[in-house]
Amino acid sequence: MPQMMSLQEVCSRLDRGEISSAQFLERFTRWVAAEIGCSRAGVWIFADTLEGRALRCAAMFDAPLDRMRMDGTTDMVPTQAAAYFEALKRDSCVVANNARTHPATIGFLDDYLLPLNVHSLMDVCFSVNGVMFGTFSCEQVGHAVVWTPRQLTLLRQIGARASLALMRAARSSIDTETFNASA
């Protein structure tokens, strides 16, 4: 389990205050992209909006560009993607080998998948104290992939190990973003 040791190390560094929330989110999403073997890895958290409970991107690492990116990551709202939210609620994940035709993801084809060239995605919910707090998103750009059971299991294990650190880091990231936008 060497990959989990690396995850534990980055979570511990956040807990001890050795790295900031932004540094944690970047290291975490870089690590997830490398471990899962995907083009992009993101952390999305649930947020209350005027349109209802939405998923808001807290961090997105783009491996081909070797940098964090937030451009094009708009809130995922239930009015656009009701089937996606229902699948998350029912299965705690959405595995779309072809996200452009998958019933749960087609609702954000024009606003997200096409503009960001996403062909496949695998999203897994993570919880804190039994309450769904957000999702990890693994995306493949440029071409479709078939996600393996091993990748799905690994992403679920990551959620079990990192959920508290993710909650703290994601909240801090969103709070800082909101503060900076209103200043």
Side-chain angles (χ1 to χ4, degrees), residues 81-94:
Y84 172 80
F85 281 94
E86 185 57 39
L88 283 179
K89 187 176 175 181
R90 181 186 62 243
D91 304 326
S92 297
C93 69
V94 172

Side-chain angles (χ1 to χ4, degrees), residues 141-156:
V141 300
H143 64 280
V145 298
V146 175
W147 303 107
T148 67
R150 181 197 165 284
Q151 289 170 310
L152 181 60
T153 299
L154 179 57
L155 203 54
R156 286 188 166 138

Side-chain angles (χ1 to χ4, degrees), residues 156-167:
R156 286 188 166 138
Q157 289 172 342
I158 291 167
R161 285 281 179 106
S163 60
L164 287 174
L166 283 164
M167 179 186 72

Side-chain angles (χ1 to χ4, degrees), residues 32-54:
V32 169
E35 288 299 313
I36 297 296
C38 58
S39 302
R40 292 190 191 121
V43 174
W44 296 71
I45 63 166
F46 286 105
D48 291 325
T49 68
L50 295 175
E51 297 181 65
R53 195 162 192 225

Side-chain angles (χ1 to χ4, degrees), residues 67-82:
R67 68 176 174 85
M68 298 298 285
R69 71 178 293 168
M70 294 299 284
D71 57 309
T73 57
T74 60
D75 287 355
M76 300 286 179
V77 295
T79 54
Q80 290 176 321

Side-chain angles (χ1 to χ4, degrees), residues 10 19-33 41 43 58-62 66-69 166 169:
V10 74
I19 59 175
S20 69
S21 293
Q23 289 170 319
F24 169 82
L25 288 169
E26 179 172 354
R27 290 175 187 185
F28 177 79
T29 53
R30 278 180 179 272
W31 182 84
V32 169
V43 174
M60 179 70 68
F61 175 70
D62 190 309
D66 192 32
R67 68 176 174 85
M68 298 298 285
R69 71 178 293 168
L166 283 164

